Amino acid sequence: MSRFCTQCGTINEADARFCDACGKPLKPRTPVPEAAPSASAALPHDTPVRRLPWPWLGGGIALLLLLAAAAWYWLQPQEPSREVFMAAINQHLAQHDADYRRKVCLRNLPYGKQSLVTHPFDQASNAWLGELVKAGLYAAPQKIRNGFFGEQLEYQQTDLARTAVVDGRLCVGTGIEAVTVTQWSPPQAMGELLVSQVRYDFQPRQPVAWLTPAIRRELFGEAGKGEARIMLLRKDGRWQVADDGERQALAAAVFMQALAKEGIERAGEQAGTGLKAWLGRLFGPAEPSADDIWQALLDYSPLLASQQQGYAKQDCTALAQQPDTFSCRIRVGGGSERVLLSKNGDGGWRLHLP
C-alpha cells in the first residue's frame, strides 16, 4: 500500500521512510493486530457450545448444606424444656380434641333442656342465668305460675346455646390447649426412653365468641384457666405424650425398677397392690382440682348450685388403701365438710359422703 506525504502531498512507495519530493520523514506504519477467532467461529458449525454450570452447582451445594444442617438438628435428642414439652402436649391435644372437650364444658345446670325454671328467691341460679342471658344463650326470663310452687321464672334456650350443648353440657370450645408448663418431674431413664410427668395450665381451644369473664370463672375458677398433668416420654430423640399402652407399660416398668432397687423379693406378687401407690410417690397424687370437686358435688346434688359463691377447696389426702380415692376438705354453705372422691370410668370424679 503506497504512502501519502502529509507535507507536500506526494505519493511514495509503501516501504519508503522519507518523502521522495520534500524529504520529510514519513510516520512508521502501526501494525494492526489480527483479531482472535471467537470461540463459536473456531468450532465447527455442528458442535454445540458447552457452558459451565457454576450457578446451578453453587445453588445445589447450598441446598445440600441446608438439608444436612436440618437433618443434623432433627437427629439431635431433644432436651427437656418448657418449650419442648409445650409443643409435644399441644400436638397431642390437637389430635385428640374430642377426648379433652369435657374439660371445657359446664354441667352446673341441665343444659340439655330447652327451658330452665327457677324460683325468684334463688339468687345464685338467677344471677348465673342472667350472665347466660347477657351472652345470648337464653332469652330474658318470663314469669309463670306453677301450681303449688307459685310464681317462677322460665328461661328459654336460644339457638346459640343449642349449638354449644354436647351430651347435656354447655361447651365453650372444641377442646383444650396448653398455655404454660408449670412443673415436671426429673426425666427418668427407662431403657432407651426418658420419662417425665408434666403439669400444665390450659385454656379452651377455639373458644366461642360468647365466652365472658364470668363464664370463664365458672368453668376454671378465679385463675381463669384449667390445670392438668400428663406423662411424656422421649422416644427416638423426640419428646411426645405417652399413649395408654405406653403409660401402662412404663408404669409397670418404673415400679418394678423401684422394687429391684429396694431389694424386694417376689416383685411380681407385690406389683399388683403397690404399683399405684408407688407411682403416687414418684409423680405425686393426681388429686381432684377444685373444679373437679365442685362438679362431683353438683352431680351428687344439683341443688348445691346456689351455694357456689361460698364454695372453696381446702385440702385433699390420698387414701393408701383405696386407689384413686381422696379425702378432701371443702368449705361450702358457711361450714367445712369432708368428702370422699374416687375416679369414674370416664376419668371424672364421683362423690361419696364419709
Side-chain angles (χ1 to χ4, degrees):
M1 178 184 293
S2 47
R3 305 189 67 186
F4 180 78
C5 178
T6 59
Q7 180 69 26
C8 63
T10 303
I11 297 176
N12 299 277
E13 296 294 332
D15 57 350
R17 299 180 60 191
F18 298 92
C19 178
D20 292 340
C22 65
K24 180 178 176 60
L26 300 176
K27 291 182 179 181
R29 188 181 301 275
T30 302
V32 179
E34 295 183 4
S38 64
S40 59
L43 295 173
H45 292 293
D46 58 348
T47 303
V49 178
R50 295 184 179 179
R51 296 180 180 178
L52 295 176
W54 294 114
W56 291 99
L57 183 59
I61 293 175
L63 179 60
L64 288 175
L65 291 175
L66 181 62
L67 292 175
W72 177 85
Y73 173 79
W74 182 256
L75 292 175
Q76 295 302 304
Q78 288 181 320
E79 295 300 323
S81 69
R82 281 184 170 83
E83 293 75 16
V84 168
F85 288 160
M86 277 273 291
I89 293 171
N90 275 325
Q91 181 180 9
H92 170 78
L93 295 178
Q95 294 172 348
H96 300 82
D97 262 351
D99 297 337
Y100 293 92
R101 190 168 189 173
R102 67 177 184 84
K103 291 183 176 292
V104 292
C105 296
L106 289 159
R107 292 185 58 192
N108 56 345
L109 289 175
Y111 294 105
K113 298 181 178 180
Q114 294 188 2
S115 65
L116 297 175
V117 177
T118 65
H119 293 282
F121 58 80
D122 188 353
Q123 296 181 0
S125 297
N126 287 312
W128 170 242
L129 284 166
E131 291 293 336
L132 301 184
V133 170
K134 293 178 184 178
L137 302 174
Y138 286 84
Q142 301 294 321
K143 294 182 179 180
I144 61 172
R145 299 291 300 179
N146 192 5
F148 175 78
F149 296 99
E151 187 178 86
Q152 293 181 299
L153 299 176
E154 182 178 30
Y155 296 82
Q156 290 288 340
Q157 200 174 71
T158 65
D159 291 338
L160 180 61
R162 284 190 282 271
T163 61
V165 174
V166 179
D167 295 332
R169 300 180 176 96
L170 184 66
C171 300
V172 302
T174 61
I176 65 173
E177 61 181 358
V179 293
T180 182
V181 169
T182 58
Q183 186 181 2
W184 67 85
S185 64
Q188 183 168 353
M190 297 299 301
E192 297 181 355
L193 304 177
L194 283 181
V195 184
S196 178
Q197 188 84 348
V198 180
R199 188 189 298 269
Y200 65 95
D201 292 338
F202 65 85
Q203 64 183 11
R205 182 186 297 278
Q206 299 179 356
V208 293
W210 45 263
L211 180 56
T212 64
I215 296 175
R216 184 182 289 272
R217 287 194 299 271
E218 177 72 19
L219 187 61
F220 298 124
E222 291 299 325
K225 54 189 176 182
E227 182 184 80
R229 65 176 66 206
I230 199 167
M231 180 182 287
L232 269 71
L233 58 87
R234 193 174 75 179
K235 182 167 60 175
D236 298 330
R238 320 307 293 175
W239 284 97
Q240 55 192 275
V241 175
D243 59 32
D244 292 339
E246 289 169 334
R247 280 196 297 271
Q248 294 175 6
L250 287 171
V254 168
F255 180 64
M256 297 302 291
Q257 186 181 79
L259 292 180
K261 289 181 179 179
E262 295 172 10
I264 298 178
E265 298 180 355
R266 301 172 65 184
E269 296 180 7
Q270 299 288 337
T273 57
L275 174 58
K276 292 183 180 179
W278 191 90
L279 286 176
R281 295 197 303 272
L282 175 65
F283 295 131
E287 68 182 40
S289 66
D291 292 338
D292 292 331
I293 298 174
W294 178 248
Q295 187 59 61
L297 286 169
L298 292 178
D299 291 342
Y300 185 84
S301 177
L303 296 178
L304 289 172
S306 61
Q307 303 294 326
Q308 186 174 12
Q309 296 297 327
Y311 161 76
K313 171 187 172 182
Q314 294 179 310
D315 62 73
C316 284
T317 303
L319 301 184
Q321 303 302 322
Q322 301 181 49
D324 289 335
T325 302
F326 291 82
S327 174
C328 298
R329 191 196 316 274
I330 61 173
R331 188 177 70 249
V332 62
S336 181
E337 301 287 345
R338 182 166 291 278
V339 295
L340 296 179
L341 295 104
S342 61
K343 275 292 185 75
N344 282 328
D346 62 356
W349 293 91
R350 183 174 64 254
L351 179 72
H352 308 274
L353 294 180

